[in-house]
Amino acid sequence: MAKLRRNRKFAEVVKNKKIPILTLDSRWHEIFPEHEKTRLIRNLEGSLNELLKKQGKLVNDIKDMKKLKKKLINDILDNMETSNNLVDKPREKRLIKNKNYIMELNHKINEDTETLSHLPYEIREENEKLMVESVKVCYDKLARNGSNISQLSDAILKLQQEVNENLEEKEELEAENDRIYSYMHDMLGADAMEQLD
């Protein structure tokens, strides 16, 4: 139940935010290298990329169809004057064929433009789903990292205390060695100490 509330909260926070397309964002890819993506993130990423490809293809297709339509219209305008003699029959056929093709292109352009008009909403919706899932994974990772950081901080503190204790003991031993050496030097003299060293 708590997980469901958390998921709803993430979805509410993300809803209607101006979020860049995640699959085109280099920082998102840094946080989610391929080997760390969950199955759901991979699926959402694939779905979003497919929508983006579809959008790009439709834009290019519409542009190409408009170019072709313009070319056909120019051809019609250049060949408008037809007569009823047999020589102009092929030209007349071509004009009729071009007009029919223009009507088909108009229909296809309208159809594709309609589809294209809905894609930004589908892309935004899929991007939001990917963002919600990304936020979930990030918060789980933040919690795990926080726990690991806490454990590492404790271990570092323990090691620092150990280092401090070892430094104290080392300093005490060095001081004791200095006292012993100094005492023996005073008692035996420099020549005797040189022979012993």
Side-chain angles (χ1 to χ4, degrees):
M1 189 69 170
K3 198 171 191 173
L4 183 61
R5 275 196 306 268
R6 184 182 87 149
N7 291 349
R8 282 189 190 143
K9 184 176 181 180
F10 289 154
E12 287 171 16
V13 168
V14 168
K15 192 79 176 150
N16 297 321
K17 291 277 191 254
K18 192 171 182 175
I19 300 166
I21 302 296
L22 296 180
T23 59
L24 303 177
D25 185 1
S26 61
R27 292 185 316 163
W28 183 81
H29 285 284
E30 285 176 25
I31 293 172
F32 290 98
E34 203 56 43
H35 66 278
E36 288 189 20
K37 292 176 185 170
T38 64
R39 178 179 286 132
L40 182 54
I41 284 180
R42 278 194 183 104
N43 290 341
L44 290 169
E45 178 185 23
S47 176
L48 180 57
N49 284 337
E50 284 303 313
L51 288 171
L52 291 169
K53 284 179 195 171
K54 183 177 180 180
Q55 183 182 43
K57 184 179 181 330
L58 283 172
V59 166
N60 287 332
D61 289 351
I62 291 169
K63 189 167 67 172
D64 291 344
M65 286 187 284
K66 285 181 177 180
K67 279 182 191 174
L68 179 57
K69 179 181 163 184
K70 185 176 180 181
K71 194 176 185 181
L72 291 171
I73 289 172
N74 287 337
D75 187 49
I76 290 172
L77 291 174
D78 291 344
N79 295 294
M80 280 291 274
E81 296 184 19
T82 59
S83 64
N84 289 333
N85 65 32
L86 291 175
V87 175
D88 286 340
K89 286 294 178 191
R91 185 190 300 174
E92 192 176 321
K93 275 185 170 180
R94 192 168 94 202
L95 289 175
I96 291 169
K97 185 178 166 188
N98 286 350
K99 285 178 187 177
N100 289 337
Y101 197 42
I102 287 172
M103 287 173 42
E104 287 176 29
L105 282 172
N106 282 337
H107 177 72
K108 183 68 174 144
I109 288 169
N110 289 338
E111 200 176 80
D112 285 358
T113 302
E114 177 69 20
T115 302
L116 188 60
S117 71
H118 296 289
L119 276 175
Y121 303 104
E122 292 177 42
I123 288 170
R124 186 177 72 221
E125 188 177 305
E126 206 64 18
N127 196 49
E128 284 179 0
K129 288 179 190 174
L130 181 55
M131 187 71 214
V132 168
E133 190 58 29
S134 297
V135 168
K136 285 187 225 174
V137 170
C138 284
Y139 267 87
D140 289 344
K141 195 171 195 175
L142 285 170
R144 278 193 315 274
N145 287 350
S147 175
N148 288 342
I149 288 168
S150 178
Q151 289 173 2
L152 289 170
S153 294
D154 290 347
I156 289 168
L157 186 61
K158 188 176 176 183
L159 285 172
Q160 284 173 335
Q161 288 171 345
E162 211 175 295
V163 166
N164 288 340
E165 289 170 6
N166 287 341
L167 278 174
E168 261 182 52
E169 185 179 346
K170 177 185 171 258
E171 287 170 1
E172 287 173 9
L173 291 172
E174 287 173 342
E176 184 178 11
N177 277 354
D178 286 345
R179 281 192 310 273
I180 292 170
Y181 192 84
S182 177
Y183 172 75
M184 290 174 62
H185 186 273
D186 289 345
M187 291 293 151
L188 301 173
D191 290 339
M193 288 304 292
E194 219 173 274
Q195 288 176 0
L196 291 174
D197 286 342

